[in-house]
């Protein structure tokens, strides 16, 4: 039996407030094998660590149990302390009596009893711990950024600037993302394209950056420092190397009725197209749903006019397989589908638009060439009503598509829209219906005040109940004014809905591939809400932009830079210390059935035929599993899949788990 | 059929294709034939039998036999062929070392049922829907449908799924076998009723291990119940329920790999309907992960060790709800 020491932490009152730490230390001190037991206000402090180190020497401890916060907090601290005193760092167990005990109990007696059980469990486990030594694995010095919006672009540029190669995978034919569709940016009202396109060009020109446009991540294997990623390059039916972006094919293409995604379907484009003038790469795409040649086998006009010979109707999806040390998710967002909001007459009237559609109307390369005009009759609207929080801050959504969270950007862009309308068209009456106006941020509130005070925008606190299209082409907006406590009717020419934003649909399958966790709204979860905001809990996966939570452009760029610096910090290392808590196979029990290899997400298990002869005259070859310890991440999937119990996890052996269960049930 | 099989086996032995034949020979009585290995035409002529009591599944024996020098000829009925495929999937049998002759099957007799209607059985011959039983006390005619093994009354497939040659015509899969009817009845019970049902059944268990030893999915090099390091081997049961855990653990171990060959229930001397535990798993897998028949093809990835984007989330399964 190992000589065990138990150290109970008060964590100030965090633990001691609901757990009688003295009683815990005293009770655990009576456990068999426990030769020393004590408590201390802050075990993680220098003095606390010294108590552990001194006790190891004085009492010749062979195993240490610290009853404290979650091992995610201080396991590393205590391992180092134990190692400093000459013990193997893996001869330590942390009993979590804070997150899993004191914080969730109110009753002192109950909390104390549970803390004792948790401590006893750790004592039982540490008895079966074995000294482990960490190996090393090399780091592939290349990063992958998934998503080519402003978040992905900024992250890629920063990584590339530090000297590391980085690939951007963008599912659309061009990088740029949502920012390409936006007209002006708050709070300075500078042109979105003017600040974005230089960065797009920089991506194209930077030698360290490879852009895989019109591509999607197909599969991810591996682990931090050593990811293998399969990228599907969707067939664009145009040879990217030959196309000069001259646009001849797009002009000659006889198909003219394909909805233009760049204009959110508010106008049409050809089947052969370049999304917009500043597209990067500036390469045409054939819309395979609309192209006559691809659907019916006839036409072929674009091929005749292409002087570069770039059109290739036979092009197939191709695949790129590449190794990366780090992966950044920058998958961005979309406005929610607001078809469920019948009360706003969005599907009934062309003059009820979403804010992003309104951006397209205001922008020079949009469907109205930048003129503020109604989409129904092209007339300039005289009265515009903006409706805030359409689908945001909706608890128990009656519409089925509302979100509980605040989309964060709507208050500011609506102020911007209102201001731009009044600036360019002073004869326009602008109303904004809001629940709250939320404009914290540098120069943000001043911006909103300017809309109200300088530009005379009518801000009315209250929600719009109904928008009814009238026979004369106007829209009757029925709303409540909560401050004057009355019902209003506004005769509007145009209604703009600030639709909530949600993570892009590609995020969920990507998270599954990356084994990165997500919240219920499909935003990526960060490793720590406050202290590790740009890292996923999955090592080597980083988060950039709205895929982690709603944010505006400045915040996105800041986070993109932060994610890049984390990536650079990782890629700067030559080797990573491996987790020694990895799987191993007991060859005498292994049947060679491949169940473990089938479930292994890291491809760490291989098979070999080994001779298990028990007779001298013959051979007895058996197929047995062997684990590549550098590749294994210790997830334990194999140990539960193995039908014969041959697979076991170092540091979390089945015998240890059973000992813990026995200790709990004692 | 027996003569055709013997003739073909002798030919394959003679031309050197195989060096041994895995088949059946009669036991003490005609109704308890036992798997047997023959290495010559003479041995075949002396002992080889095939009749409607030859219900045992020969697949599992090939794990050992395929490790020996030379090829082994094996006769597989449809359900046995599923087991063989599953063992191939799990790399337990070297396909190159096995020569498979598929034999059609339209149901095997349950010796206990036949014996309850006819004592002193000397032979039993199936003719259409009836069974002519010759006994020491005269001849008895029985209705075949009443004498079948449980698994044959709900036969999932008459198709031999892996073979080198077929003797006779291969059959087809039977999707309307109603084999889950009893599982549905159990599911409809209250937890208390179900608990009582299983306690009643499992209380008869004498831990003879026949179910484990015959099960083609229970082919571990070292069974967890025999492993001294497992913490369960040779452990005295703390209460009468703990003893029942043997069957529950075994059902979990073969989940996703059980082909529903029904051998466990066939060999149980206490007549415990062990196949129901396995069928519950099969039914759940079908419900949650889509139709899957273990052993239908070699090399298939069983849902429990495979992940697809269409799999339902674990919380759905915990709730026992639908997709």
């Amino acid at each position: 039996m190992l000589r065990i020491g138990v150290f109970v932490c008060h964590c100030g009152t965090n633990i001691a407030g609901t757990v009688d730490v003295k009683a815990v230390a005293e009770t655990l001190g009576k456990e068999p094998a426990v030769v020393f037991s004590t408590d201390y206000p802050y075990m993680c402090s220098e003095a606390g660590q010294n108590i552990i180190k001194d006790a190891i020497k004085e009492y010749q401890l062979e195993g240490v149990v610290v009853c404290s916060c979650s091992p995610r907090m201080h396991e590393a601290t205590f391992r180092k302390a134990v190692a400093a005193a000459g013990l193997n760092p893996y001869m330590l167990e942390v009993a979590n009596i804070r997150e899993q005990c004191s914080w969730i109990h109110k009753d002192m007696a109950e909390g104390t009893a549970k803390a004792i059980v948790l401590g006893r469990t750790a004592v039982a486990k540490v008895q079966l711990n074995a000294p482990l030594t960490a190996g090393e694995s090399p780091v592939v010095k290349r990063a992958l950024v998934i998503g080519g919006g402003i978040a992905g672009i900024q992250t890629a540029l920063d990584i590339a600037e530090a000297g590391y190669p980085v690939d951007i995978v963008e599912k659309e034919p061009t990088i740029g993302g949502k920012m390409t569709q936006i007209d002006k940016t708050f709070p300075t009202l500078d042109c979105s394209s003017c600040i974005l396109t230089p960065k797009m060009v920089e991506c194209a020109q930077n030698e360290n950056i490879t852009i895989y446009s019109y591509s999607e991540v197909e599969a991810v294997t591996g682990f931090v420092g050593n990811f293998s990623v399969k990228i599907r390059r969707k067939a664009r039916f145009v040879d990217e190397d030959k196309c000069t972006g001259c646009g001849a094919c797009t002009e000659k293409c006889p198909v003219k009725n394909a909805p233009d995604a760049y204009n959110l379907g508010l106008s049409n484009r050809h089947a052969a197209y370049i999304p917009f003038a500043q597209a990067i790469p500036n390469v045409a795409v054939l819309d395979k749903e609309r192209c006559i040649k691809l659907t019916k086998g006839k036409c072929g006009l674009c091929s005749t006019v292409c002087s570069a010979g770039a059109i290739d109707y036979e092009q197939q999806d191709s695949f790129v397989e590449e190794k990366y040390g780090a992966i950044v998710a920058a998958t961005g967002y979309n406005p929610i589908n607001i078809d469920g909001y019948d009360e706003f007459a969005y599907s009934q009237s062309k003059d009820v638009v979403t804010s992003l559609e309104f951006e397209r109307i205001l922008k020079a390369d949009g469907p109205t060439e930048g003129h503020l005009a109604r989409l129904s009759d092209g007339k300039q609207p005289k009265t515009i009503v903006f409706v805030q929080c359409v689908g945001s801050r909706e608890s128990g959504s009656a519409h089925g598509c509302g979100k509980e969270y605040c989309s964060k950007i709507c208050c500011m862009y609506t102020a911007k829209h209102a201001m731009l309308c009044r600036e360019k068209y002073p004869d326009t009456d602008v109303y904004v219906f809001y629940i709250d106006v939320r404009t914290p941020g540098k120069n943000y509130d001043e911006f909103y005040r300017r809309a109200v005070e300088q530009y005379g925008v009518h801000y009315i606190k209250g929600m719009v109940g109904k928008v009814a299209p009238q026979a004369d082409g106007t829209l009757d907006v029925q709303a409540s004014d909560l401050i004057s406590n009355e019902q209003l009717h506004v005769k509007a020419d145009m209604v703009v809905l600030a639709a909530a934003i949600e993570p892009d649909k590609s995020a969920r399958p990507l998270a599954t591939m990356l084994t990165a966790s997500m919240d219920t709204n499909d935003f990526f979860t960060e490793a720590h809400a406050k202290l590790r905001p740009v890292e996923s809990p999955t090592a080597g996966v980083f988060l950039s932009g709205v895929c982690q939570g709603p944010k505006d452009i400045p915040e996105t760029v800041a986070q993109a830079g932060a994610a890049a610096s984390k990536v650079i910090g990782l890629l700067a290392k030559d080797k990573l210390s491996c987790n020694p808590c990895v799987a191993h196979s007991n060859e005498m029990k292994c049947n060679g059935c491949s169940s473990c290899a089938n479930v292994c997400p890291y491809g760490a298990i291989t098979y070999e035929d080994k001779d298990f002869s028990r007779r001298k005259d013959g051979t007895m070859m058996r197929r047995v599993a062997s684990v590549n310890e550098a590749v294994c991440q210790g997830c334990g999937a194999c140990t539960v899949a193995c039908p014969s119990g041959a697979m076991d996890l170092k540091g979390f052996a089945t015998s240890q788990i059973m000992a813990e269960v026995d200790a709990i049930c004692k | 059929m027996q003569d055709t099989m013997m003739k073909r086996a002798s030919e394959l032995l003679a031309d050197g294709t195989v060096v041994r034949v895995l088949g059946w020979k009669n036991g003490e009585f005609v109704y308890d034939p036992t798997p047997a290995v023959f290495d010559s035409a003479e041995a075949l002529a002396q002992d080889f039998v095939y009749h409607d009591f030859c219900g045992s599944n020969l697949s599992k024996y090939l794990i050992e036999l395929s490790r020996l020098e030379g090829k082994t000829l094996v006769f597989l009925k449809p359900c046995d062929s599923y087991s063989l495929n599953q063992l191939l999937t799990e790399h337990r049998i070297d396909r190159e070392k096995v020569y498979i002759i598929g034999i059609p099957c339209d149901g095997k007799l349950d010796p206990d049922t036949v014996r309850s209607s006819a004592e002193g059985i000397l032979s039993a011959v199936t003719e259409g829907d009836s069974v002519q039983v010759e006994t020491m006390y005269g001849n008895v005619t029985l209705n075949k449908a009443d004498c079948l093994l449980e698994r044959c009354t709900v036969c999932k497939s008459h198709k031999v799924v892996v073979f080198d040659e077929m003797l006779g015509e291969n059959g087809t899969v039977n999707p309307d076998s109603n084999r889950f009817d009893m599982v549905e009845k159990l599911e409809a019970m209250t937890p208390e009723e179900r608990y009582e049902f299983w306690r009643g059944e499992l209380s008869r268990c004498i831990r003879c291990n026949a179910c484990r030893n015959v099960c083609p999915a229970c082919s571990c090099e070292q069974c967890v119940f025999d492993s001294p390091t497992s913490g369960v081997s040779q452990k005295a049961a703390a209460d009468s329920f703990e003893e029942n855990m043997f069957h529950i653990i075994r059902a979990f171990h073969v989940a996703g790999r059980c082909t529903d060959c029904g051998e466990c229930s066939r060999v149980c001397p206490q007549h415990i309907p062990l196949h129901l535990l396995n069928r519950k798993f099969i039914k759940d897998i079908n419900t949650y992960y889509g139709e899957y028949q273990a052993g239908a093809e070699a090399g298939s990835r069983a849902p429990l060790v495979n992940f697809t984007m269409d799999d339902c989330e674990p919380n759905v399964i915990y709730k026992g709800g639908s997709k």
Side-chain angles (χ1 to χ4, degrees):
Chain A
M1 216 176 234
L2 301 181
R3 296 168 64 83
I4 312 289
V6 175
F7 304 86
V8 184
C9 181
H10 301 195
C11 195
T13 53
N14 274 309
I15 294 171
T18 0
V19 169
D20 182 349
V21 283
K22 296 242 180 277
V24 173
E26 196 181 318
T27 313
L28 293 177
K30 292 176 190 151
E31 282 288 304
V34 174
V35 294
F36 177 74
S37 181
T38 190
D39 61 282
Y40 189 73
Y42 293 101
M43 243 15 190
C44 60
S45 67
E46 190 79 34
Q49 292 181 50
N50 285 337
I51 293 176
I52 299 175
K53 290 179 199 167
D54 294 343
I56 291 173
K57 288 173 189 145
E58 195 179 339
Y59 297 92
Q60 296 94 47
L61 300 181
E62 295 162 294
V64 169
V65 169
V66 182
C67 301
S68 60
C69 52
S70 161
R72 281 188 64 172
M73 295 289 146
H74 275 303
E75 190 175 53
T77 313
F78 295 129
R79 277 197 177 143
K80 275 182 196 149
V82 166
L87 269 188
N88 182 284
Y90 291 87
M91 296 307 290
L92 165 96
E93 285 299 325
V94 176
N96 180 354
I97 61 165
R98 194 178 72 172
E99 285 85 344
Q100 292 176 357
C101 186
S102 68
W103 277 359
I104 51 169
H105 290 291
K106 291 198 174 81
D107 181 56
M108 181 74 114
E110 205 178 29
T112 307
K114 182 167 168 184
I116 291 168
V117 171
L118 291 172
R120 197 165 62 206
T121 304
V123 170
K125 187 185 176 201
V126 81
Q127 269 302 336
L128 300 171
N129 276 19
L132 301 174
T133 313
E136 284 181 330
S137 73
V139 177
V140 178
K141 296 189 179 275
R142 186 179 197 93
L144 172 68
V145 174
I146 303 165
I150 182 60
I153 288 173
Q154 188 62 49
T155 303
L157 283 173
D158 288 351
I159 297 170
E161 275 302 300
Y164 296 105
V166 50
D167 297 350
I168 301 176
V169 171
E170 168 56 55
K171 67 180 186 317
E172 300 298 331
T174 170
I175 59 167
K178 290 286 172 298
M179 228 182 129
T180 61
Q181 294 170 298
I182 296 171
D183 180 29
K184 299 282 190 291
T185 53
F186 58 78
T188 46
L189 293 182
D190 40 359
C191 153
S192 180
S193 291
C194 310
I195 57 174
L196 175 69
T197 49
K199 284 190 183 288
M200 290 166 63
V201 173
E202 223 180 309
C203 279
Q205 289 172 344
N206 194 309
E207 284 179 355
N208 277 333
I209 299 181
T210 307
I211 300 171
Y212 293 116
S213 65
Y214 213 41
S215 302
E216 278 169 44
V217 172
E218 187 86 359
V220 180
T221 55
F223 53 94
V224 55
N226 271 294
F227 292 106
S228 293
V229 180
K230 189 176 175 190
I231 299 162
R232 176 191 288 271
R233 307 216 58 199
K234 294 181 279 188
R236 62 199 301 160
F237 307 101
V238 172
D239 187 326
E240 234 177 276
D241 298 324
K242 290 184 187 162
C243 176
T244 59
C246 69
C249 56
T250 67
E251 282 162 28
K252 284 286 181 286
C253 176
V255 179
K256 289 171 184 158
N257 60 351
D260 186 352
Y262 180 57
N263 277 336
L264 304 164
L266 300 180
S267 68
N268 290 334
R269 58 156 168 77
H270 297 270
Y273 69 103
I274 295 173
F276 52 91
Q278 304 99 320
I280 299 278
N282 188 19
V283 174
V285 197
L286 301 194
D287 183 338
K288 74 174 174 196
E289 312 292 323
R290 306 270 174 179
C291 171
I292 302 171
K293 178 75 177 176
L294 292 171
T295 51
K296 301 198 177 81
K298 293 185 184 124
C299 186
L301 252 178
C302 51
S303 173
T304 358
V305 297
C306 180
S307 52
I311 307 286
D312 175 7
Y313 300 114
E314 303 299 316
Q315 201 177 70
Q316 301 286 322
D317 288 7
S318 59
F319 295 92
V320 177
E321 293 198 38
E322 186 67 77
K323 294 223 167 239
Y324 300 99
I327 297 179
V328 182
T331 45
Y333 73 97
N334 278 303
I336 61 164
N337 182 337
I338 55 166
D339 288 346
Y341 291 84
D342 283 339
E343 65 268 39
F344 299 129
Y346 176 69
S347 46
Q348 296 159 43
S349 170
K350 278 186 150 186
D351 299 322
V352 180
V353 296
T354 66
S355 297
L356 194 57
E357 288 166 346
F358 193 68
E359 290 282 354
R360 300 304 308 141
I361 291 170
L362 292 180
K363 195 165 181 179
D365 63 357
T368 58
E369 291 169 343
H371 300 294
L372 179 57
R374 281 154 51 104
L375 293 173
S376 59
D377 52 14
K379 284 187 190 150
Q380 188 198 322
K382 294 294 173 200
T383 307
I384 305 180
V385 169
F386 288 89
V387 184
Q388 296 281 70
C389 295
V390 176
S392 297
R393 305 176 68 193
E394 236 185 63
S395 50
S397 170
H399 299 93
C401 46
K403 305 291 175 187
E404 290 203 6
Y405 53 84
C406 165
S407 297
K408 198 171 182 181
I409 54 176
C410 323
C411 285
M412 283 300 285
Y413 69 60
T414 299
K416 173 189 77 179
H417 288 160
M419 203 186 280
L420 288 173
C421 289
R422 293 281 298 154
E423 165 92 21
K424 283 196 203 164
Y425 309 93
D427 57 340
T428 320
D429 237 359
V430 177
Y431 295 85
V432 177
F433 287 92
Y434 66 94
I435 306 176
D436 295 297
V437 175
R438 297 177 161 182
T439 53
K442 188 173 174 183
N443 294 328
Y444 280 18
D445 205 55
E446 295 91 320
F447 182 81
Y448 152 63
R449 298 297 326 159
R450 225 160 75 219
V452 178
E453 290 159 10
Q454 239 170 293
Y455 287 91
V457 177
H458 309 298
Y459 266 77
I460 299 171
K461 186 176 173 74
M463 271 308 280
V464 170
K466 194 176 181 188
V467 176
Q470 303 296 301
D472 63 355
T474 61
L475 300 154
D476 176 44
V477 178
Q478 189 182 346
S480 49
D481 181 338
L482 294 180
I483 289 172
S484 60
N485 196 20
E486 60 183 16
Q487 288 290 309
L488 294 177
H489 283 269
V490 180
K491 191 176 154 118
D493 300 311
M494 201 169 190
V495 172
V496 183
L497 307 174
I501 59 172
E502 63 180 1
D504 190 80
K505 295 281 181 240
S506 63
R508 165 81 42 189
L510 179 68
T512 308
M513 282 190 262
L514 295 171
T515 64
S517 52
M518 287 195 133
D519 64 19
T520 50
N521 292 313
D522 279 6
F523 287 113
F524 280 93
T525 313
E526 55 282 356
H528 188 284
K530 282 140 283 184
L531 302 178
R532 295 174 68 192
V534 300
E535 292 153 89
S536 158
T538 303
V541 175
F542 302 90
L543 311 173
S544 180
V546 182
C547 70
Q548 180 258 339
K551 49 181 73 67
D552 58 22
I553 296 167
E555 260 188 285
T556 295
V557 171
Q559 199 203 19
S565 79
K566 291 286 173 193
V567 170
I568 295 162
L570 171 60
L571 298 188
K573 289 179 185 156
D574 290 324
K575 290 210 153 122
L576 294 174
S577 167
C578 297
N579 168 17
C581 298
V582 291
H584 65 104
S585 141
N586 179 341
E587 292 174 345
M588 296 314 288
K589 287 186 188 170
C590 176
N591 302 330
C593 73
S594 284
S595 293
C596 56
N598 285 345
V599 297
C600 178
Y602 308 101
I605 300 169
T606 50
Y607 287 86
E608 53 188 324
D609 285 316
K610 275 202 171 177
D611 190 356
F612 289 85
S613 300
R614 278 168 292 190
R615 297 184 298 266
K616 280 184 186 151
D617 54 339
T619 55
M620 160 78 162
M621 299 299 284
R622 278 207 291 115
R623 184 177 188 268
V624 291
S626 88
V627 178
N628 180 343
E629 297 203 346
V631 180
C632 173
Q633 294 299 293
C635 72
C638 55
T639 65
V640 285
C642 178
S644 56
M647 275 289 173
D648 213 348
L649 200 57
K650 291 177 189 169
F652 296 92
T654 308
S655 57
Q656 291 180 296
I657 312 269
M658 294 312 282
E660 287 185 273
V661 174
D662 280 347
I664 291 171
C665 300
K666 203 154 76 177
Chain B
M1 194 62 178
Q2 179 178 312
D3 293 339
T4 324
M5 288 160 74
M6 220 187 311
K7 181 165 167 282
R8 187 64 190 132
S10 303
E11 284 169 16
L12 289 165
L13 277 172
D15 69 14
T17 310
V18 299
V19 297
R20 70 188 73 78
V21 176
L22 176 57
W24 299 265
K25 67 176 183 187
N26 274 345
E28 200 162 341
F29 303 100
V30 67
Y31 49 77
D32 61 356
T34 173
V37 178
F38 307 88
D39 55 10
S40 65
E42 294 71 41
L44 282 168
Q46 198 178 337
D47 283 334
F48 183 89
V49 295
Y50 182 70
H51 48 71
D52 280 342
F53 285 118
C54 294
S56 51
N57 182 346
L58 301 180
S59 298
K60 189 177 182 179
Y61 299 90
L62 292 166
I63 297 173
E64 289 298 330
L65 291 175
S66 75
R67 283 176 186 161
L68 301 177
E69 283 291 318
K71 261 194 179 186
T72 305
L73 167 64
V74 65
F75 292 103
L76 294 185
K77 304 186 296 300
C79 23
D80 312 348
S81 70
Y82 283 80
S83 306
L84 186 101
N85 255 347
Q86 184 60 29
L87 288 165
L88 288 176
T89 303
E90 295 172 14
H91 308 280
R92 302 291 282 142
I93 293 174
D94 184 353
R95 179 70 178 85
E96 297 299 309
K97 303 284 281 293
V98 184
Y99 190 92
I100 304 165
I101 295 185
I103 44 177
C105 170
D106 49 9
K108 293 291 166 201
L109 301 176
D110 181 351
D112 292 318
T113 324
V114 179
R115 281 169 67 201
S116 67
S117 318
E119 264 184 75
I121 302 169
L122 297 173
S123 78
V125 181
T126 307
E127 283 163 16
D129 291 339
S130 63
V131 184
Q132 303 299 332
V133 187
E134 184 197 342
T135 77
M136 284 152 64
Y137 315 104
N139 291 353
V140 183
T141 303
L142 297 172
N143 192 355
K144 185 177 177 185
D146 301 335
C147 309
L148 290 176
L149 290 162
E150 188 279 342
R151 67 177 186 215
C152 301
T153 62
V154 291
C155 178
K156 66 179 181 290
S157 172
H158 295 289
K159 183 182 172 189
V160 180
V161 288
V162 54
F163 55 84
D164 291 297
E165 61 179 88
M166 274 301 294
L167 287 185
E169 193 142 324
N170 204 353
T172 53
V173 177
N174 176 24
D176 304 315
S177 65
N178 298 325
R179 62 177 164 143
F180 298 117
D181 284 4
M182 188 57 199
V183 175
E184 275 162 21
K185 273 187 202 153
L186 287 173
E187 285 170 342
M189 289 180 180
T190 64
E192 292 74 25
E193 287 167 351
R194 202 158 47 233
Y195 185 75
E196 281 315 309
F197 171 85
W198 280 113
R199 288 288 278 163
E201 295 292 341
L202 296 178
S203 66
R204 299 200 302 277
C205 175
I206 53 171
R207 272 304 290 280
C208 68
N209 285 340
C211 52
R212 179 194 72 176
N213 294 351
V214 79
C215 175
C218 265
S219 60
C220 285
E221 287 297 318
Q222 186 179 43
C223 175
V224 63
F225 292 105
D226 297 337
S227 166
T229 55
S230 68
V232 294
S233 155
Q234 302 297 312
K235 177 181 169 295
D239 54 41
S240 64
F241 182 74
E242 203 170 296
E243 189 66 22
N244 299 168
M245 286 299 286
F246 169 74
H247 295 287
I248 297 168
I249 292 170
R250 217 182 68 75
F252 269 96
H253 280 201
V254 302
R257 309 190 297 127
C258 168
T259 64
D260 199 8
C261 77
E263 286 286 89
C264 46
S265 295
R266 185 184 68 84
V267 299
C268 180
Q270 296 292 81
H271 305 294
I272 302 171
L274 294 165
H275 61 276
L276 290 175
L277 290 172
N278 304 324
R279 275 196 202 147
K280 167 65 177 161
F281 275 104
I282 295 171
K283 182 169 177 284
D284 281 356
I285 288 170
N286 286 345
T287 308
Y288 297 125
Y289 303 106
E291 292 284 323
Y292 175 76
Q293 172 59 52
E297 52 191 308
S300 64
R301 292 276 295 266
L304 295 184
V305 288
N306 196 12
F307 172 79
T308 69
M309 291 293 189
D310 298 328
D311 284 355
C312 60
E313 296 291 327
N315 60 339
V316 174
I317 296 172
Y318 296 145
K319 287 178 201 151
S322 57
K323 258 191 197 183

